[in-house]
Amino acid sequence: MEHNQKLTELARKLRKNMTLEERTLWYHFLKNHSFSFRRQTVIGNYIVDFFCYQAKLVIELDGSQHYEQTGLDNDKKRTEYLKQQGLTVIRFSNDDVKHNLRGVCEKINDVLENLNHSKE
């Protein structure tokens, strides 16, 4: 997988300054998950919110800017690129994390289970 070294420093800063929703998902679920996740990982020319190398899974959390036309267009390109790299991408809104963390966690587990079974 490609890696843009220029983005590495920005990814470090983003890890130190996670959004409330990213911190919530990380500390309440992903940090101690049986699958290993990384935060703010550089893949090509993008920094993804969470990445599980083992399952080839990208999890993105979308704030309000992602629902404006520019954000939607950028997310579509980003998702297409990530899929071309053989990755599965799932997206949740910040509101999903704020108001339905349990549902978000269940969805992530379902996707991981399906990805894991498809490898067998």
Side-chain angles (χ1 to χ4, degrees):
M1 227 170 300
E2 297 176 40
H3 179 92
N4 182 337
Q5 284 295 120
K6 295 176 186 173
L7 293 176
T8 301
E9 187 60 34
L10 177 58
R12 279 191 198 113
K13 288 179 184 176
L14 291 171
R15 276 192 291 276
K16 290 179 183 177
N17 297 297
M18 288 190 294
T19 66
L20 173 62
E21 296 79 14
E22 289 169 342
R23 282 194 311 271
T24 298
L25 186 59
W26 177 250
Y27 287 109
H28 292 280
F29 186 64
L30 296 176
K31 183 178 181 191
N32 296 310
H33 199 282
S34 60
F35 280 82
S36 178
F37 282 88
R38 291 185 269 176
R39 300 173 291 154
Q40 305 301 336
T41 301
V42 177
I43 300 175
N45 289 319
Y46 299 103
I47 300 173
V48 301
D49 292 332
F50 300 102
F51 179 55
C52 176
Y53 182 81
Q54 179 184 359
K56 305 285 190 249
L57 176 64
V58 170
I59 300 171
E60 293 283 76
L61 301 186
D62 296 340
S64 59
Q65 74 277 12
H66 291 269
Y67 299 101
E68 297 168 5
Q69 195 56 53
T70 302
L72 292 169
D73 293 342
N74 290 339
D75 286 346
K76 183 177 179 184
K77 289 179 202 168
R78 173 191 193 94
T79 298
E80 286 173 8
Y81 172 81
L82 294 168
K83 285 182 176 182
Q84 288 171 356
Q85 304 308 303
L87 305 175
T88 298
V89 179
I90 55 175
R91 307 186 87 82
F92 299 99
S93 71
N94 284 343
D95 283 342
D96 290 336
V97 175
K98 281 183 202 171
H99 303 293
N100 187 19
L101 180 61
R102 177 183 226 149
V104 168
C105 297
E106 288 172 359
K107 175 67 174 176
I108 292 169
N109 278 336
D110 288 346
V111 170
L112 286 167
E113 186 176 322
N114 288 334
L115 290 171
N116 200 32
H117 284 312
S118 67
K119 290 181 180 179
E120 295 174 352

